[in-house]
Amino acid sequence: MIVLEQVNKWFGRYHALVDVSESVSKGELVVICGPSGSGKSTLLRILNRLEDIQSGRILIDGQDIYAPGLDLNRFRSYIGFVFQQFNLFPHLTALENCSLAPMRVHGLSRSAATTRAMELLERVGLADKAGAYPAELSGGQQQRVAIARALAMQPPLMLFDEPTSALDPEMVGEVLLVMRDLAHAGMTMVCVTHEMGFARDVADRILFMDAGQVLERASPAEFFQRPQHPRAQQFLADIRTPFAEKGI
Amino acid sequence: MKELIERYWVYFLVGQYPHGPLGGLALTLLLAASGLLLALPLGVLLGIARLSAYRWLRWPVTALVMTVRGTPLLMVVFWAYFFLPSVTGVRTNQFSTMLIALVVFDGAYLAEIVRAGILGVPKGQAEAARSLGLGVPGALRFVVLPQALRSMLPSLVNQFASSIKETSLGYIIGLQEVSFIASQINNLELTKPMPIYLMLAGTYFLLCFGLSRLAFWLDRSLGVARVSRAAAVRAT
C-alpha cells in the first residue's frame, strides 16, 4: 500500500531522512520507534505531504504522490492523520469537528455528515460529548475526537504521530484502546509511538530509526527479545532500566 | 450652548439636506460605515496575499501595504483627489474620492492586522485542516480565519475607531462632513469656537466609545459560551 524508494529529506543542511526505502502492506500495523530527532515524525509527515521530500519516490496505492497534476486535497482526504497535539478546531463542537471535512471536501449534506460523525463519536465512546467544545474535553477525549474526525473521511490508511505523548498517563489507555480496535478492524496504520506495550501487543512490524535511517525492521517478538542493531539494543536497554550505567 | 444647539442641530446632523447635498454627522456616519464595510474585505484579501506562497502575489501587495503605511493619510487623499482623475479620466465626487482614499489607507492597515491574526493561529490548525483534504481557501475560511478574527477583534476596533476620526480629513477637499459643518457654524458665529468644537469632539468621542463598547460586548458574547462552559465542566 505504501512504498518508499530511496527517500531523502533535508531541513536546510540537516539531513533528516537518509535513503529510506520501506513498504507497508494493506491491513498492516507498523510502529515506528526510536530516539528523539531520529526522523520518525518526519517519515510520517512526508506520507501525506505535510513535508516535501528532496529526492526519491513515494507510492501510495501505486500512485506517485509527487506526480505533477496530483489532486493534493483529494489525495490527503484518503489518509487520516492524528497529531500529537490533537489540533482539534477549538471554535467547533466535537460533532462539527467531525462533520466539517465530509461536508466541505466530500460534499455531504449536513444531515448525512452529522449522522456519520455521530456514528464515529459513538465508535470512540464519546457520543455524549457531541455538543462539547474541545476546551471542555480532557486530553484523552480530545484525541479520541481527533481520531473520529480523521475516520470521518473514511480513509483506508491512518497515520498516528505520537498520539499519546501529550496525554496524562491515566488517559493513554483509552486512546490506545481505540487504536487497537481500529487495527483489529483491519485498518492499515502507521504509528509513531513510545508506547512499547502497544507496539508489542498490536503491531505487525516495528521499524527502529536513528539519525534518519531505518536501522532495524522486525516483528515485535524479535525486536523486543533479540534486537540486532547495537543502537536498538541500547535504546531498549535505556527504556527498560533508565538508571543503569549512570550510577544513580 | 443651548441656543447654538437649537439653531444649528439640523445643520449639524444632515448639512443642507434636503435643500442641498447630504452632509454633517449623517455624511460622516455614511462615509465611515461604507469605508469600514469595503476596507475590511480588502484588508482580509491583502492580509492573505501578504502570506501567499506565490511571490508574484506576495511582493506587489507587500509593496503596496508598505507604501501606504509609510504615507500620511493626507497624501493619500491628495492622490485620490488630484492624481486618480488624471489617470482614470473619471472625475469622482468628493464623497467617492474620500471613500477611495479611506478604503485604500485602512485596507493596508487592516491587512497587517489580518496577517498578524492569521500568524497567531497555531500552525497545527492549518495542518489538521489540510490533512483532512481542505484546500488553502477552505482551511482559511472554515478553520483559520474564524479563530484569527476573534483574536483580531481588539485591533480591528482600534482601526475602526481611527477610520471614524479619519473621515474628518474630508474637510480639506471640501466634503461637508461633520467637521466641515462645525467649522461653517464657527464661521457664522465667529465668537463661540469653544462650545462648537467641544461639541464636535464630544460627537467623535461618543462614536468611538460606542464602537468600543459594542466590540467589548461582542467579544464577551462570542467567548463567554465557550469559556464559561469549559470552566463549569472543569469545576465538576
Side-chain angles (χ1 to χ4, degrees):
Chain A
M1 181 160 209
I2 308 175
V3 179
L4 291 94
E5 296 170 354
Q6 298 287 310
V7 169
N8 281 284
K9 164 79 190 167
W10 280 271
F11 289 108
R13 296 175 67 185
Y14 179 67
H15 203 169
L17 292 176
V18 185
D19 283 333
V20 176
S21 294
E22 207 54 57
S23 69
V24 177
S25 359
K26 195 165 171 48
E28 205 178 12
L29 193 164
V30 174
V31 163
I32 307 175
C33 62
S36 309
S38 58
K40 313 180 295 281
S41 289
T42 308
L43 182 58
L44 205 64
R45 289 166 64 88
I46 61 170
L47 292 180
N48 78 341
R49 288 189 55 181
L50 279 178
E51 306 282 354
D52 281 347
I53 59 173
Q54 274 77 43
S55 75
R57 229 155 65 105
I58 303 175
L59 304 177
I60 290 182
D61 270 344
Q63 162 78 52
D64 183 344
I65 66 170
Y66 284 90
L70 172 90
D71 184 342
L72 187 58
N73 297 331
R74 198 178 145 83
F75 154 71
R76 280 196 177 125
S77 73
Y78 286 119
I79 299 179
F81 200 103
V82 176
F83 297 84
Q84 181 177 354
Q85 300 295 342
F86 331 133
N87 293 344
L88 287 182
F89 307 136
H91 59 301
L92 302 176
T93 62
L95 187 78
E96 289 163 345
N97 263 277
C98 297
S99 62
L100 176 71
M103 279 165 63
R104 301 301 173 183
V105 179
H106 283 173
L108 253 61
S109 70
R110 181 173 294 276
S111 66
T114 303
T115 311
R116 188 193 284 181
M118 270 317 284
E119 283 168 13
L120 288 163
L121 286 176
E122 222 157 276
R123 187 165 166 189
V124 299
L126 288 172
D128 56 327
K129 298 289 184 187
Y133 286 95
E136 301 170 279
L137 301 172
S138 73
Q141 290 170 334
Q142 289 191 51
Q143 193 60 298
R144 281 147 67 197
V145 173
I147 294 173
R149 177 178 70 177
L151 289 173
M153 296 304 283
Q154 304 181 318
L157 167 65
M158 290 279 286
L159 309 175
F160 295 82
D161 188 5
E162 303 201 23
T164 56
S165 299
L167 295 177
D168 290 344
E170 58 190 313
M171 294 168 183
V172 169
E174 60 188 85
V175 172
L176 293 181
L177 215 60
V178 169
M179 289 169 63
R180 192 197 66 190
D181 290 347
L182 208 54
H184 287 166
M187 176 68 76
T188 311
M189 294 162 67
V190 181
C191 311
V192 171
T193 182
H194 295 298
E195 293 299 326
M196 291 301 133
F198 175 77
R200 187 169 45 221
D201 297 343
V202 188
D204 296 305
R205 205 146 52 90
I206 294 182
L207 304 181
F208 176 79
M209 290 187 72
D210 191 30
Q213 288 175 299
V214 179
L215 297 181
E216 183 144 351
R217 38 183 78 75
S219 71
E222 275 177 71
F223 180 74
F224 287 107
Q225 280 152 30
R226 291 181 297 281
Q228 302 297 313
H229 199 283
R231 189 67 188 84
Q233 293 166 358
Q234 180 66 45
F235 178 74
L236 286 172
D238 285 345
I239 289 179
R240 283 173 184 148
T241 50
F243 300 141
E245 290 176 43
K246 294 193 176 76
I248 303 168
Chain B
M1 190 84 165
K2 185 162 170 282
E3 182 193 338
L4 273 176
I5 294 174
E6 272 168 5
R7 192 177 303 160
Y8 292 113
W9 69 275
V10 177
Y11 187 47
F12 190 79
L13 289 182
V14 296
Q16 294 162 16
Y17 191 81
H19 309 294
L22 183 70
L25 185 59
L27 189 72
T28 293
L29 287 175
L30 188 65
L31 184 61
S34 23
L36 296 182
L37 240 49
L38 294 173
L40 185 59
L42 179 72
V44 171
L45 290 178
L46 292 179
I48 291 170
R50 286 267 281 132
L51 294 167
S52 170
Y54 304 112
R55 273 184 211 155
W56 57 265
L57 185 61
R58 191 173 69 237
W59 285 0
V61 170
T62 303
L64 174 76
V65 169
M66 293 297 172
T67 308
V68 172
R69 276 165 51 93
T71 315
L73 176 58
L74 190 61
M75 292 290 302
V76 180
V77 175
F78 282 151
W79 281 353
Y81 191 67
F82 297 113
F83 187 59
L84 211 58
S86 69
V87 173
T88 60
V90 180
R91 182 91 217 156
T92 51
N93 63 25
Q94 290 143 326
F95 182 83
S96 314
T97 304
M98 194 58 205
L99 186 60
I100 291 169
L102 274 179
V103 168
V104 169
F105 193 77
D106 289 334
Y109 276 87
L110 289 171
E112 288 300 274
I113 296 174
V114 170
R115 190 174 78 100
I118 290 176
L119 289 176
V121 176
K123 203 166 150 247
Q125 290 291 313
E127 281 188 349
R130 298 305 305 280
S131 79
L132 287 166
L134 287 163
V136 172
L140 273 172
R141 179 169 156 212
F142 300 115
V143 175
V144 176
L145 279 180
Q147 298 179 53
L149 282 170
R150 179 73 211 292
S151 66
M152 281 152 44
L153 204 59
S155 315
L156 284 180
V157 173
N158 230 345
Q159 188 57 40
F160 288 168
S162 278
S163 46
I164 288 179
K165 292 178 283 181
E166 282 160 2
T167 58
S168 62
L169 278 186
Y171 176 89
I172 53 147
I173 57 169
L175 184 70
Q176 305 207 351
E177 43 70 55
V178 74
S179 304
F180 185 93
I181 298 293
S183 73
Q184 292 294 103
I185 296 172
N186 186 44
N187 290 345
L188 292 171
E189 291 289 326
L190 286 173
T191 55
K192 296 173 186 132
M194 192 65 174
I196 291 170
Y197 285 116
L198 264 180
M199 220 168 80
L200 181 65
T203 304
Y204 281 117
F205 175 79
L206 279 181
L207 288 180
C208 296
F209 184 71
L211 185 68
S212 80
R213 295 313 294 174
L214 178 74
F216 179 74
W217 174 81
L218 198 68
D219 190 47
R220 287 221 352 191
S221 60
L222 276 175
V224 109
R226 229 184 293 157
V227 175
S228 74
R229 279 181 60 192
V233 167
R234 270 196 292 277
T236 52

PDB file of all heavy atoms in Angstrom, chain A residues 225-244:
ATOM      1  N   GLN A 225      12.915  -9.201  21.932  1.00  0.00           N
ATOM      2  CA  GLN A 225      13.739 -10.250  22.542  1.00  0.00           C
ATOM      3  C   GLN A 225      15.153 -10.279  21.989  1.00  0.00           C
ATOM      4  O   GLN A 225      16.112 -10.493  22.721  1.00  0.00           O
ATOM      5  CB  GLN A 225      13.063 -11.609  22.356  1.00  0.00           C
ATOM      6  CG  GLN A 225      11.956 -11.819  23.393  1.00  0.00           C
ATOM      7  CD  GLN A 225      10.859 -12.733  22.901  1.00  0.00           C
ATOM      8  OE1 GLN A 225      11.129 -13.615  22.088  1.00  0.00           O
ATOM      9  NE2 GLN A 225       9.642 -12.517  23.369  1.00  0.00           N
ATOM     10  N   ARG A 226      15.292 -10.095  20.656  1.00  0.00           N
ATOM     11  CA  ARG A 226      16.626 -10.206  20.066  1.00  0.00           C
ATOM     12  C   ARG A 226      16.907  -9.042  19.124  1.00  0.00           C
ATOM     13  O   ARG A 226      17.035  -9.227  17.916  1.00  0.00           O
ATOM     14  CB  ARG A 226      16.742 -11.532  19.285  1.00  0.00           C
ATOM     15  CG  ARG A 226      16.752 -12.767  20.162  1.00  0.00           C
ATOM     16  CD  ARG A 226      16.896 -14.015  19.329  1.00  0.00           C
ATOM     17  NE  ARG A 226      15.782 -14.219  18.408  1.00  0.00           N
ATOM     18  CZ  ARG A 226      14.595 -14.719  18.780  1.00  0.00           C
ATOM     19  NH1 ARG A 226      14.373 -15.072  20.031  1.00  0.00           N
ATOM     20  NH2 ARG A 226      13.633 -14.863  17.893  1.00  0.00           N
ATOM     21  N   PRO A 227      16.982  -7.821  19.637  1.00  0.00           N
ATOM     22  CA  PRO A 227      17.305  -6.711  18.747  1.00  0.00           C
ATOM     23  C   PRO A 227      18.698  -6.910  18.145  1.00  0.00           C
ATOM     24  O   PRO A 227      19.626  -7.315  18.858  1.00  0.00           O
ATOM     25  CB  PRO A 227      17.275  -5.488  19.673  1.00  0.00           C
ATOM     26  CG  PRO A 227      17.441  -6.029  21.048  1.00  0.00           C
ATOM     27  CD  PRO A 227      16.890  -7.415  21.043  1.00  0.00           C
ATOM     28  N   GLN A 228      18.832  -6.656  16.844  1.00  0.00           N
ATOM     29  CA  GLN A 228      20.083  -6.939  16.156  1.00  0.00           C
ATOM     30  C   GLN A 228      21.055  -5.765  16.225  1.00  0.00           C
ATOM     31  O   GLN A 228      22.211  -5.924  16.551  1.00  0.00           O
ATOM     32  CB  GLN A 228      19.800  -7.261  14.668  1.00  0.00           C
ATOM     33  CG  GLN A 228      18.854  -8.419  14.480  1.00  0.00           C
ATOM     34  CD  GLN A 228      19.422  -9.725  15.019  1.00  0.00           C
ATOM     35  OE1 GLN A 228      20.575 -10.059  14.755  1.00  0.00           O
ATOM     36  NE2 GLN A 228      18.629 -10.455  15.789  1.00  0.00           N
ATOM     37  N   HIS A 229      20.551  -4.582  15.903  1.00  0.00           N
ATOM     38  CA  HIS A 229      21.451  -3.437  15.804  1.00  0.00           C
ATOM     39  C   HIS A 229      21.852  -2.940  17.185  1.00  0.00           C
ATOM     40  O   HIS A 229      21.011  -2.845  18.072  1.00  0.00           O
ATOM     41  CB  HIS A 229      20.757  -2.310  15.018  1.00  0.00           C
ATOM     42  CG  HIS A 229      21.695  -1.289  14.480  1.00  0.00           C
ATOM     43  ND1 HIS A 229      22.251  -0.320  15.273  1.00  0.00           N
ATOM     44  CD2 HIS A 229      22.201  -1.115  13.236  1.00  0.00           C
ATOM     45  CE1 HIS A 229      23.048   0.434  14.529  1.00  0.00           C
ATOM     46  NE2 HIS A 229      23.042  -0.032  13.284  1.00  0.00           N
ATOM     47  N   PRO A 230      23.131  -2.621  17.385  1.00  0.00           N
ATOM     48  CA  PRO A 230      23.583  -2.155  18.705  1.00  0.00           C
ATOM     49  C   PRO A 230      22.807  -0.938  19.208  1.00  0.00           C
ATOM     50  O   PRO A 230      22.525  -0.822  20.403  1.00  0.00           O
ATOM     51  CB  PRO A 230      25.052  -1.783  18.475  1.00  0.00           C
ATOM     52  CG  PRO A 230      25.451  -2.373  17.170  1.00  0.00           C
ATOM     53  CD  PRO A 230      24.219  -2.732  16.406  1.00  0.00           C
ATOM     54  N   ARG A 231      22.431  -0.026  18.270  1.00  0.00           N
ATOM     55  CA  ARG A 231      21.693   1.171  18.679  1.00  0.00           C
ATOM     56  C   ARG A 231      20.309   0.801  19.213  1.00  0.00           C
ATOM     57  O   ARG A 231      19.813   1.423  20.162  1.00  0.00           O
ATOM     58  CB  ARG A 231      21.568   2.128  17.471  1.00  0.00           C
ATOM     59  CG  ARG A 231      21.012   3.474  17.810  1.00  0.00           C
ATOM     60  CD  ARG A 231      21.958   4.279  18.679  1.00  0.00           C
ATOM     61  NE  ARG A 231      21.330   5.511  19.173  1.00  0.00           N
ATOM     62  CZ  ARG A 231      20.551   5.567  20.250  1.00  0.00           C
ATOM     63  NH1 ARG A 231      20.300   4.476  20.956  1.00  0.00           N
ATOM     64  NH2 ARG A 231      20.026   6.709  20.638  1.00  0.00           N
ATOM     65  N   ALA A 232      19.692  -0.203  18.605  1.00  0.00           N
ATOM     66  CA  ALA A 232      18.392  -0.681  19.066  1.00  0.00           C
ATOM     67  C   ALA A 232      18.525  -1.363  20.424  1.00  0.00           C
ATOM     68  O   ALA A 232      17.674  -1.180  21.313  1.00  0.00           O
ATOM     69  CB  ALA A 232      17.791  -1.645  18.039  1.00  0.00           C
ATOM     70  N   GLN A 233      19.605  -2.116  20.593  1.00  0.00           N
ATOM     71  CA  GLN A 233      19.830  -2.768  21.893  1.00  0.00           C
ATOM     72  C   GLN A 233      19.967  -1.716  22.986  1.00  0.00           C
ATOM     73  O   GLN A 233      19.382  -1.826  24.064  1.00  0.00           O
ATOM     74  CB  GLN A 233      21.103  -3.635  21.825  1.00  0.00           C
ATOM     75  CG  GLN A 233      20.943  -4.833  20.899  1.00  0.00           C
ATOM     76  CD  GLN A 233      22.276  -5.488  20.557  1.00  0.00           C
ATOM     77  OE1 GLN A 233      23.342  -5.028  20.978  1.00  0.00           O
ATOM     78  NE2 GLN A 233      22.223  -6.556  19.773  1.00  0.00           N
ATOM     79  N   GLN A 234      20.738  -0.668  22.675  1.00  0.00           N
ATOM     80  CA  GLN A 234      20.940   0.420  23.623  1.00  0.00           C
ATOM     81  C   GLN A 234      19.621   1.106  23.961  1.00  0.00           C
ATOM     82  O   GLN A 234      19.310   1.363  25.125  1.00  0.00           O
ATOM     83  CB  GLN A 234      21.914   1.438  23.004  1.00  0.00           C
ATOM     84  CG  GLN A 234      22.220   2.633  23.880  1.00  0.00           C
ATOM     85  CD  GLN A 234      22.976   2.223  25.132  1.00  0.00           C
ATOM     86  OE1 GLN A 234      23.926   1.432  25.056  1.00  0.00           O
ATOM     87  NE2 GLN A 234      22.550   2.696  26.289  1.00  0.00           N
ATOM     88  N   PHE A 235      18.810   1.382  22.919  1.00  0.00           N
ATOM     89  CA  PHE A 235      17.516   2.057  23.068  1.00  0.00           C
ATOM     90  C   PHE A 235      16.616   1.259  24.010  1.00  0.00           C
ATOM     91  O   PHE A 235      16.034   1.802  24.956  1.00  0.00           O
ATOM     92  CB  PHE A 235      16.876   2.210  21.691  1.00  0.00           C
ATOM     93  CG  PHE A 235      15.513   2.852  21.709  1.00  0.00           C
ATOM     94  CD1 PHE A 235      15.374   4.210  21.941  1.00  0.00           C
ATOM     95  CD2 PHE A 235      14.360   2.102  21.469  1.00  0.00           C
ATOM     96  CE1 PHE A 235      14.125   4.809  21.936  1.00  0.00           C
ATOM     97  CE2 PHE A 235      13.110   2.694  21.471  1.00  0.00           C
ATOM     98  CZ  PHE A 235      12.996   4.055  21.709  1.00  0.00           C
ATOM     99  N   LEU A 236      16.514  -0.052  23.775  1.00  0.00           N
ATOM    100  CA  LEU A 236      15.651  -0.897  24.602  1.00  0.00           C
ATOM    101  C   LEU A 236      16.186  -0.987  26.027  1.00  0.00           C
ATOM    102  O   LEU A 236      15.418  -0.956  26.988  1.00  0.00           O
ATOM    103  CB  LEU A 236      15.538  -2.292  23.984  1.00  0.00           C
ATOM    104  CG  LEU A 236      14.650  -2.335  22.734  1.00  0.00           C
ATOM    105  CD1 LEU A 236      14.742  -3.705  22.064  1.00  0.00           C
ATOM    106  CD2 LEU A 236      13.206  -2.028  23.093  1.00  0.00           C
ATOM    107  N   ALA A 237      17.496  -1.056  26.152  1.00  0.00           N
ATOM    108  CA  ALA A 237      18.086  -1.121  27.489  1.00  0.00           C
ATOM    109  C   ALA A 237      17.784   0.162  28.262  1.00  0.00           C
ATOM    110  O   ALA A 237      17.424   0.122  29.441  1.00  0.00           O
ATOM    111  CB  ALA A 237      19.592  -1.340  27.386  1.00  0.00           C
ATOM    112  N   ASP A 238      17.879   1.313  27.579  1.00  0.00           N
ATOM    113  CA  ASP A 238      17.609   2.598  28.236  1.00  0.00           C
ATOM    114  C   ASP A 238      16.156   2.701  28.668  1.00  0.00           C
ATOM    115  O   ASP A 238      15.842   3.303  29.701  1.00  0.00           O
ATOM    116  CB  ASP A 238      17.940   3.760  27.282  1.00  0.00           C
ATOM    117  CG  ASP A 238      19.436   3.967  27.162  1.00  0.00           C
ATOM    118  OD1 ASP A 238      20.167   3.424  28.011  1.00  0.00           O
ATOM    119  OD2 ASP A 238      19.871   4.651  26.214  1.00  0.00           O
ATOM    120  N   ILE A 239      15.257   2.136  27.861  1.00  0.00           N
ATOM    121  CA  ILE A 239      13.842   2.186  28.224  1.00  0.00           C
ATOM    122  C   ILE A 239      13.570   1.303  29.433  1.00  0.00           C
ATOM    123  O   ILE A 239      12.850   1.687  30.359  1.00  0.00           O
ATOM    124  CB  ILE A 239      12.970   1.720  27.036  1.00  0.00           C
ATOM    125  CG1 ILE A 239      13.001   2.764  25.930  1.00  0.00           C
ATOM    126  CG2 ILE A 239      11.554   1.467  27.481  1.00  0.00           C
ATOM    127  CD1 ILE A 239      12.191   2.371  24.727  1.00  0.00           C
ATOM    128  N   ARG A 240      14.177   0.127  29.438  1.00  0.00           N
ATOM    129  CA  ARG A 240      13.863  -0.843  30.496  1.00  0.00           C
ATOM    130  C   ARG A 240      14.485  -0.456  31.825  1.00  0.00           C
ATOM    131  O   ARG A 240      13.851  -0.562  32.874  1.00  0.00           O
ATOM    132  CB  ARG A 240      14.346  -2.234  30.070  1.00  0.00           C
ATOM    133  CG  ARG A 240      13.405  -2.847  29.048  1.00  0.00           C
ATOM    134  CD  ARG A 240      13.944  -4.138  28.500  1.00  0.00           C
ATOM    135  NE  ARG A 240      13.059  -4.643  27.457  1.00  0.00           N
ATOM    136  CZ  ARG A 240      13.488  -5.332  26.418  1.00  0.00           C
ATOM    137  NH1 ARG A 240      14.772  -5.626  26.284  1.00  0.00           N
ATOM    138  NH2 ARG A 240      12.629  -5.746  25.505  1.00  0.00           N
ATOM    139  N   THR A 241      15.728  -0.037  31.787  1.00  0.00           N
ATOM    140  CA  THR A 241      16.410   0.321  33.028  1.00  0.00           C
ATOM    141  C   THR A 241      17.071   1.676  32.855  1.00  0.00           C
ATOM    142  O   THR A 241      18.265   1.776  32.596  1.00  0.00           O
ATOM    143  CB  THR A 241      17.485  -0.719  33.378  1.00  0.00           C
ATOM    144  OG1 THR A 241      18.304  -0.941  32.222  1.00  0.00           O
ATOM    145  CG2 THR A 241      16.902  -2.025  33.832  1.00  0.00           C
ATOM    146  N   PRO A 242      16.277   2.728  33.014  1.00  0.00           N
ATOM    147  CA  PRO A 242      16.782   4.064  32.726  1.00  0.00           C
ATOM    148  C   PRO A 242      17.968   4.479  33.598  1.00  0.00           C
ATOM    149  O   PRO A 242      18.738   5.329  33.206  1.00  0.00           O
ATOM    150  CB  PRO A 242      15.575   4.968  32.972  1.00  0.00           C
ATOM    151  CG  PRO A 242      14.509   4.117  33.514  1.00  0.00           C
ATOM    152  CD  PRO A 242      14.885   2.706  33.408  1.00  0.00           C
ATOM    153  N   PHE A 243      18.117   3.881  34.762  1.00  0.00           N
ATOM    154  CA  PHE A 243      19.165   4.354  35.673  1.00  0.00           C
ATOM    155  C   PHE A 243      20.460   3.554  35.555  1.00  0.00           C
ATOM    156  O   PHE A 243      21.454   3.879  36.175  1.00  0.00           O
ATOM    157  CB  PHE A 243      18.685   4.319  37.132  1.00  0.00           C
ATOM    158  CG  PHE A 243      17.477   5.177  37.335  1.00  0.00           C
ATOM    159  CD1 PHE A 243      16.454   4.762  38.177  1.00  0.00           C
ATOM    160  CD2 PHE A 243      17.373   6.404  36.694  1.00  0.00           C
ATOM    161  CE1 PHE A 243      15.336   5.565  38.368  1.00  0.00           C
ATOM    162  CE2 PHE A 243      16.258   7.199  36.880  1.00  0.00           C
ATOM    163  CZ  PHE A 243      15.242   6.782  37.723  1.00  0.00           C
ATOM    164  N   ALA A 244      20.417   2.464  34.766  1.00  0.00           N
ATOM    165  CA  ALA A 244      21.612   1.625  34.657  1.00  0.00           C
ATOM    166  C   ALA A 244      22.778   2.410  34.090  1.00  0.00           C
ATOM    167  O   ALA A 244      22.596   3.300  33.273  1.00  0.00           O
ATOM    168  CB  ALA A 244      21.313   0.416  33.782  1.00  0.00           C
TER     169      ALA A 244
END
